[in-house]
Each structure stands twice: as structure tokens, then as C-alpha cells.
């Protein structure tokens, strides 16, 4: 077993180490870092970066072993099949399954849960049966069950959380009864970061004969999993969240259960015998659930990821991740503006894994995430595919810092310093805006004015500041005008649009959003379209306008799509 040395471990991740500006080691000095273009990757809960061995595995497979698996009798296929099945055995050992037959390859956690719901759920659930889901589940562990409940007449019940954010055991016990057929729960929520009392929950669910489905998407990379010891019926996870490739996932199921389940998809390799004259019979486990050509290169690369991570002392990795978590959590806790603490953590107490979710009072999550992005810091903002949890917490979304064992204390310090700088800039820009007000009145040449303002700014950081300044100049819509009718769908944050047409057929639009960055972008869009006729609106070349401003390439695809949705809506209104 290799001793875990953070610096050497980090060296294995080329994107993290070699990313443009990261050849400069990140330290606390902002001036040093601002001159380069770094990447501080704190979005590991979404997907982790990949080590060299995983990347190399793709090259090696396609250069030396590419063939389809299980189907052909030639040597190359045998070579590919051996490597492919070797990866399955690695997973079996990694989670301590009893047999390789219990390991089914899928595309990821989402597909694994869909497989269980559509095959097992559809078979056993009847009208009035109950499926219990934890309140903090990811949509991947909610929606498949909602779909199946609709088809079977089963009812979904919700397991509440305790004050620390874990599934509440007494409340869970009260939900259990003879109608409880399935219990689905994340080992760890992707927002809360606290380990659920999974063994106790499983034992309680079993006491009423329910089948247990555990979503390990956020757990597997952070601590060892022993499916026999926790005694769950199903355990699911994705390769890409544990240093492996995208497009590969695992469904672990107890063999006896898997044997009773009908196939999920039909096709090649999942059959024993197909005939038009007699019923089709199915292959043995695990192949019964693996229709079609699988992601062979991905599965083999995943095997390498498991080999990679298993080589290190897991306790040392966990201890390092804990120290990173404490450092980041405390630094956020101490963050203040005018001596007022401004961070609210999504749930009480230090998380068990390096996933820290929070909001900053007076700031929209998307504004902070975009501002951090301009410093090369990648964190996630939004509802994190856990809308019911957001509703329960009474927030529209939050910021999430999710760390991996290749992250460093220096990166956290850089992140905190940038956050401080952004918060300080916010108050400066309020002043700048006050000075500017009155100069930027409604004006037919508004779009040219925007272009002129942007011409002077070169870096994305400066452009970002300019957008935020413009956002402050956008007149806010009345609360009454921000309603379902005026809401623009397709935006990451809430945005509303209203229009008026005068007797000369000139259109005037007003828009608003709950995020400052979106208000800035709305200002830019309205500058292009306001006080024009329908013909002028249709004729305006918005693409080259955005290109001139250098905007779209810096916006996330979802935010870029949101802006394009607004443009479409305006054009639609001006038909
Ligand atoms: N479950 C949890 C707890 C997750 O965090 C995620 C992804 O973030 C998923 C399920 C879905 O995983 P995938 O998109 O890899 O299928």
C-alpha cells in the first residue's frame, strides 16, 4: 500500500497540474495569480478530474486491444473481454460483493436507479404499496420512482431529516409499515455531505420486508464501501465521480434478487435463445442486464481508476480530505463584511466529506459563482439536482465547494482571498454605479454604447465587473410584474420579461432577474432590442453583437442558453 503524499497524488492529474496558469504554483498572492489563467477545480461532486493511468488506458486500449467483448472467437476479442471482465472483478473486490455476477455495468448512477425502478419496481409494486425516499435525494433517485409510482399506483413517502441533515431515524421508523416495499436513500447527499446512518436504516427497512436501494454516488470516492457488511439489496454509483471516466456506472444487486428481475433492455448479448417460434430466453447474470455493446474502453479505464485509488492508504486520504474540509469550512465561517458574518451553511455542523454548501447573505449564488469563475475557480451554484431539498431548506439554491484529494490548502486560501476581493468589489461597484447613473439614459444607440464600454475592457474578470455594473443600472420590475406569465423558461435563475408597444409600433421591453449577473446580461440584451420596430428587432444580428462583446464563450452553456432563450422570447414577442 502506497503512503498518501498530497503533492505526489496531485501530480497524477494532468489537467489540474498543467492547466495553463497552474504551472505557476497557486499561493495566497492574488497579484501573482491574476497575471495568469489558473484553474482551481472545486466541483468534484459533479465529476472528478482523471489521473494519467485512466487517460492512458484509453490510448492503450484503442491501440492494442480494441475489439467487441464476449461476441467473437478471435484473439483480439478475447484480449478485450479479459480486460473488461477483469475490471468487473476489481469492482467486486472494491465493494466486497459476493460474486462478479452481482456487478452490472450501466452508464452511471442514474441509469442504475432507472434499471432498478423499471425492472424490479415495475415487477413488485402494486396499487397502494409504498416507496420511501429520503428528502435529500438527488433527482436521479426521485424521478425514476415517481415514474414507476405513476405506472403502478404505488405511493411515495418522504423520510425527513434531523437537524444535522441526516435521515431522522425515529421519523423513518414511524413511516414503516407492511405496505413499505422499497426504501431508497443516498449514502451521502450531494448537498448535505453528512453520512446517513445507512446500516441502521437498512436494518429498519428490512424489518418490514422492504428492499433497500442505496445511492453511493458521493460516497465511493471518500471511504471504503462493504456491501455485505451494510447488507443493502442494491448499491449504485458512477465511475466519473471517483477518478474514472464518464459513461460508466455500477449497479450492485444481491444475486438472488437480480435472478428474479426481468431484463431492463432487450438486444444483443442479454439473451440465451431468440426465436420467432418460442419465447426468448435470457442470458445468465450479469449479462442479462447488459444489452448491446457496452462502453468497453470506459469500463477498462474504470478498472484502472479503482486500481489507482486502491493503491493508496485510504485512511490517510480521508484524513487529508478532513483537514481540507475543516480549513475551508472555518475560513468560510470567519468570512465577514463590515464585521458581519455573511456565510450561512446549508445545514448545521462540519460535513463528513469535503462537500460544503452555503449561501452568502445579500448575494445571489450565480453572481458569486460567475465572479469566482473569472478568477479561474470552478464551483457549483444552483439547486444541485435536489429541488425538494432546496424547498425544504427554503432556498432557491446554494453554492457548493466540493473538494478532492488532489486539492490543496493553497487553493482554498486563494479561493477565500478571491471571495473577499469579490465582496469588496461589490461595494466599490455600488459607488461606481451611483456615479454613472443618469449618464446611461434610454437611447437609440444603447447597443453601441455597450460596445464602446466593453471595448476598453480586455480580461474576462474586467468584463464580468462591467456586466455587474450594467446590472445595477437595469430598472427593477415591480413585484407584481414578476409572475408566472412573465417568467422566462430556460434560464438558470429566475428572469422575467414584459413588453409594451406604442402607437408607432415601437417595442419597449423591461426585464428583471434575481441574479445580478443575469440583470447585467439583460441590460445588454435590452440595449440591443429596446425602442425598435418589429422589423428592426428581427434584423438585429445578436450573434455578432455578443461576439463583439466577447460574451458567449465565457458563459456556461446553461447560462448562454438562458440568454438565447431571452433573445428568442423577445423576437417572438416582436413577431
Ligand atoms: N446521486 C447523487 C447523490 C449524485 O450526486 C449524483 C450526481 O451528482 C447522481 C446521483 C447522478 O449521477 P450520474 O449523473 O453520474 O448518473
Amino acid at each position: 500500500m502506497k503512503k498518501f503524499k498530497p503533492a505526489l497524488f496531485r501530480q497524477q492529474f494532468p489537467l489540474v497540474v498543467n492547466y495553463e496558469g497552474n504551472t505557476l504554483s497557486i499561493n495566497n498572492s492574488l497579484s501573482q495569480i491574476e497575471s495568469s489563467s489558473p484553474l482551481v477545480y472545486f466541483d468534484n461532486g459533479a465529476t472528478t478530474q482523471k489521473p494519467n493511468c485512466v487517460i492512458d488506458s484509453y490510448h492503450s486500449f484503442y491501440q492494442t486491444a480494441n475489439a467487441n467483448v464476449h461476441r467473437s472467437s478471435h484473439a483480439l476479442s478475447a484480449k478485450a473481454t479479459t480486460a473488461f471482465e477483469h475490471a468487473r472483478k476489481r469492482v467486486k473486490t472494491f465493494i466486497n460483493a459476493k460474486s462478479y455476477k452481482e456487478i452490472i455495468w450501466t452508464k452511471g448512477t442514474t441509469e442504475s436507479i432507472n434499471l432498478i425502478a423499471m425492472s424490479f419496481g415495475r415487477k413488485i409494486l402494486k396499487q397502494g404499496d409504498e416507496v420511501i425516499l429520503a428528502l435529500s435525494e438527488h433527482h436521479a433517485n426521485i424521478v425514476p420512482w415517481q415514474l414507476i409510482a405513476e405506472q403502478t399506483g404505488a405511493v411515495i413517502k418522504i423520510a425527513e431529516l434531523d437537524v444535522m441533515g441526516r435521515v431522522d431515524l425515529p421519523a423513518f421508523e414511524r413511516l414503516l409499515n407492511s405496505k413499505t416495499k422499497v426504501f431508497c436513500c443516498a449514502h451521502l447527499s450531494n448537498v448535505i455531505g453528512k453520512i446517513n446512518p445507512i446500516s441502521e436504516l437498512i436494518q429498519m427497512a428490512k424489518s418490514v420486508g422492504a428492499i433497500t436501494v442505496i445511492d453511493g454516488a458521493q460516497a465511493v470516492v471518500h471511504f471504503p464501501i462493504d456491501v455485505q457488511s451494510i447488507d443493502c439489496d442494491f448499491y449504485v454509483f458512477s465511475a466519473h465521480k471517483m477518478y474514472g471516466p464518464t459513461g460508466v456506472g455500477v449497479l450492485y444487486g444481491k444475486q438472488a434478487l437480480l435472478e428474479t428481475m426481468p431484463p431492463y433492455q432487450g438486444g444483443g448479448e442479454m439473451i440465451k435463445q431468440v426465436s420467432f417460434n418460442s419465447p426468448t430466453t435470457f442470458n445468465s447474470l450479469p449479462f442479462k442486464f447488459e444489452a448491446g455493446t457496452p462502453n468497453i474502453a470506459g469500463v477498462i479505464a474504470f478498472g484502472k481508476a479503482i486500481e489507482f485509488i486502491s493503491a493508496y492508504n485510504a485512511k490517510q486520504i480521508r484524513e487529508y480530505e478532513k483537514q481540507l474540509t475543516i480549513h475551508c469550512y472555518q475560513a468560510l465561517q470567519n468570512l465577514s463584511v463590515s464585521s458581519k458574518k455573511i456565510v450561512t451553511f446549508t445545514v448545521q455542523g462540519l460535513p463528513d466529506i469535503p462537500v460544503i454548501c452555503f449561501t452568502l447573505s445579500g448575494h445571489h449564488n450565480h453572481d458569486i459563482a460567475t465572479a469566482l469563475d473569472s478568477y479561474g475557480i470552478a464551483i457549483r451554484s444552483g439547486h444541485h439536482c435536489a429541488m425538494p431539498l432546496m424547498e425544504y431548506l427554503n432556498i432557491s439554491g446554494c453554492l457548493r465547494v466540493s473538494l478532492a484529494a488532489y486539492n490543496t490548502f493553497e487553493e482554498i486560501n486563494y479561493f477565500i482571498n478571491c471571495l473577499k476581493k469579490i465582496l469588496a468589489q461589490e461595494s466599490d461597484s455600488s459607488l461606481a454605479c451611483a456615479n454613472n447613473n443618469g449618464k446611461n439614459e434610454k437611447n437609440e444607440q444603447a447597443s453601441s454604447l455597450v460596445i464602446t464600454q466593453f471595448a476598453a475592457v480586455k480580461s474576462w474578470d474586467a468584463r464580468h465587473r462591467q456586466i455587474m455594473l450594467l446590472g445595477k443600472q437595469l430598472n427593477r420590475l415591480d413585484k407584481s410584474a414578476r409572475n408566472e406569465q412573465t417568467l422566462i423558461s430556460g434560464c438558470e435563475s429566475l428572469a422575467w420579461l414584459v413588453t409594451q408597444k406604442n402607437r408607432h409600433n415601437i417595442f419597449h421591453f423591461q426585464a428583471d432577474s434575481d441574479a445580478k449577473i443575469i440583470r447585467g446580461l439583460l441590460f445588454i440584451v435590452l440595449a440591443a432590442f429596446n425602442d425598435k420596430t418589429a422589423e428592426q428587432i428581427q434584423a438585429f444580428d445578436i450573434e455578432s453583437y455578443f461576439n463583439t462583446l466577447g460574451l458567449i464563450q465565457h458563459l456556461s452553456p446553461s447560462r448562454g442558453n438562458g440568454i438565447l432563450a431571452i433573445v428568442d422570447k423577445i423576437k417572438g414577442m416582436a413577431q
Side-chain angles (χ1 to χ4, degrees):
M1 180 134 323
K2 268 193 238 177
K3 189 164 183 235
F4 172 72
K5 293 189 178 151
L8 290 181
F9 186 81
R10 183 176 167 87
Q11 283 303 319
Q12 303 298 313
F13 293 83
L15 194 143
V16 175
V17 181
N18 301 332
Y19 191 85
E20 293 173 61
N22 286 17
T23 38
L24 240 185
S25 80
I26 289 173
N27 62 25
N28 303 351
S29 142
L30 279 174
S31 57
Q32 190 181 353
I33 215 72
E34 270 175 337
S35 60
S36 65
S37 157
L39 171 72
V40 171
Y41 187 76
F42 284 175
D43 195 15
N44 296 285
T47 196
T48 56
Q49 298 303 337
K50 318 303 172 204
N52 284 316
C53 61
V54 167
I55 299 166
D56 294 346
S57 170
Y58 276 93
H59 285 276
S60 163
F61 173 72
Y62 285 119
Q63 284 181 351
T64 67
N66 178 41
N68 212 326
V69 288
H70 295 299
R71 289 153 173 78
S72 316
S73 50
H74 54 77
L76 200 60
S77 173
K79 191 174 178 183
T81 304
T82 304
F84 183 79
E85 288 306 320
H86 187 60
R88 197 189 306 268
K89 291 192 179 126
R90 273 197 203 287
V91 172
K92 172 202 163 281
T93 309
F94 187 67
I95 60 170
N96 193 30
K98 260 191 196 148
S99 160
Y100 76 93
K101 293 181 179 177
E102 298 179 317
I103 308 297
I104 317 285
W105 296 121
T106 63
K107 280 193 301 198
T109 307
T110 305
E111 195 185 41
S112 299
I113 297 171
N114 273 280
L115 192 163
I116 301 168
M118 301 302 157
S119 167
F120 176 75
R122 190 151 40 202
K123 179 165 181 254
I124 64 131
L125 291 172
K126 310 258 174 321
Q127 182 83 27
D129 282 347
E130 293 179 1
V131 174
I132 302 181
L133 306 178
L135 189 146
S136 47
E137 290 313 291
H138 187 282
H139 297 165
N141 207 12
I142 299 176
V143 184
W145 296 107
Q146 288 177 327
L147 293 173
I148 224 67
E150 212 167 283
Q151 290 173 24
T152 58
V155 181
I156 302 230
K157 297 276 168 172
I158 305 304
E160 301 284 331
L161 308 180
D162 64 18
V163 285
M164 304 306 278
R166 297 183 179 93
V167 176
D168 187 69
L169 291 172
F172 179 63
E173 190 160 32
R174 288 194 290 277
L175 281 181
L176 294 169
N177 63 71
S178 59
K179 289 185 280 180
T180 312
K181 294 291 180 284
V182 185
F183 169 55
C184 308
C185 183
H187 207 151
L188 270 164
S189 142
N190 56 318
V191 175
I192 292 173
K194 304 269 180 77
I195 304 173
N196 276 318
I198 218 70
S199 297
E200 289 93 322
L201 289 164
I202 290 170
Q203 285 322 306
M204 286 159 78
K206 275 185 185 306
S207 70
V208 293
I211 293 298
T212 51
V213 179
I214 309 304
D215 172 354
Q218 295 293 336
V220 274
V221 69
H222 294 297
F223 50 87
I225 305 299
D226 183 333
V227 288
Q228 291 192 64
S229 152
I230 61 173
D231 200 19
C232 56
D233 295 299
F234 296 106
Y235 198 94
V236 296
F237 54 101
S238 303
H240 71 98
K241 291 186 196 288
M242 49 177 296
Y243 310 124
T246 53
V248 178
V250 171
L251 160 60
Y252 157 81
K254 281 188 175 160
Q255 188 174 343
L257 262 179
L258 292 172
E259 300 281 11
T260 66
M261 286 163 51
Y264 165 57
Q265 292 182 329
E269 273 310 300
M270 50 74 70
I271 50 84
K272 201 179 276 168
Q273 181 78 37
V274 180
S275 161
F276 288 126
N277 303 315
S278 56
T280 291
T281 52
F282 304 116
N283 205 340
S284 53
L285 289 174
F287 312 112
K288 178 171 85 171
F289 293 106
E290 293 179 0
T293 300
N295 183 351
I296 305 167
V299 161
I300 294 169
F302 181 36
K304 293 288 174 200
I306 294 182
E307 188 183 3
F308 167 78
I309 190 84
S310 307
Y312 288 95
N313 182 322
K315 269 198 187 138
Q316 289 171 350
I317 294 192
R318 195 154 182 216
E319 182 53 33
Y320 178 71
E321 288 183 349
K322 186 173 165 196
Q323 294 310 322
L324 288 179
T325 311
I326 294 173
H327 186 67
C328 187
Y329 188 83
Q330 288 179 344
L332 283 168
Q333 208 167 28
N334 293 333
L335 211 59
S336 60
V337 169
S338 313
S339 332
K340 265 200 194 145
K341 296 266 163 78
I342 61 158
V343 168
T344 306
F345 293 105
T346 307
V347 289
Q348 280 182 39
L350 190 73
D352 298 326
I353 58 155
V355 166
I356 305 175
C357 283
F358 59 98
T359 53
L360 288 167
S361 56
H363 298 273
H364 195 286
N365 309 307
H366 290 323
D367 292 333
I368 297 295
T370 316
L372 285 168
D373 184 47
S374 71
Y375 288 99
I377 300 168
I379 71 165
R380 176 108 180 247
S381 72
H383 54 63
H384 309 281
C385 300
M387 281 179 157
L389 177 61
M390 297 296 126
E391 200 178 328
Y392 167 77
L393 296 168
N394 203 17
I395 51 177
S396 62
C398 56
L399 293 158
R400 181 180 74 184
V401 169
S402 51
L403 307 171
Y406 47 66
N407 287 128
T408 65
F409 292 94
E410 288 77 12
E411 286 180 312
I412 294 172
N413 294 341
Y414 172 65
F415 156 67
I416 295 290
N417 283 340
C418 290
L419 206 47
K420 284 182 184 160
K421 197 170 172 198
I422 290 162
L423 296 172
Q425 266 165 8
E426 275 286 300
S427 33
D428 289 354
S429 66
S430 309
L431 286 174
C433 176
N435 295 337
N436 257 346
N437 265 346
K439 277 191 206 159
N440 287 304
E441 284 150 12
K442 183 176 72 174
N443 172 334
E444 286 204 359
Q445 295 308 316
S447 58
S448 313
L449 203 69
V450 170
I451 291 173
T452 313
Q453 286 170 338
F454 271 73
V457 291
K458 293 281 173 260
S459 67
W460 170 235
D461 181 19
R463 274 201 193 100
H464 176 261
R465 269 202 299 276
Q466 188 64 35
I467 299 171
M468 298 299 269
L469 273 176
L470 293 178
K472 292 188 183 236
Q473 295 173 41
L474 189 79
N475 289 330
R476 305 297 309 261
L477 273 178
D478 264 4
K479 250 193 178 155
S480 60
R482 289 184 252 153
N483 55 43
E484 280 295 315
Q485 279 75 43
T486 59
L487 196 66
I488 310 168
S489 53
C491 293
E492 250 185 19
S493 14
L494 297 174
W496 304 268
L497 180 71
V498 293
T499 183
Q500 284 172 328
K501 186 164 72 161
N502 71 13
R503 59 200 171 84
H504 303 295
N505 286 332
I506 301 285
F507 284 85
H508 187 79
F509 300 94
Q510 269 186 285
D512 200 354
S513 169
D514 58 344
K516 286 182 196 148
I517 180 90
I518 302 296
R519 290 206 287 278
L521 293 166
L522 285 170
F523 185 99
I524 292 168
V525 171
L526 296 194
F529 292 123
N530 252 347
D531 305 312
K532 289 188 168 153
T533 63
E535 292 72 30
Q536 287 170 321
I537 288 171
Q538 302 302 341
F540 189 86
D541 184 354
I542 195 77
E543 211 172 306
S544 71
Y545 175 56
F546 285 153
N547 280 339
T548 312
L549 299 177
L551 277 188
I552 291 292
Q553 67 268 35
H554 287 295
L555 299 175
S556 66
S558 52
R559 195 158 296 141
N561 289 340
I563 292 304
L564 297 176
I566 293 166
V567 170
D568 282 349
K569 180 113 184 188
I570 288 178
K571 290 200 164 179
M573 283 170 153
Q575 285 287 346

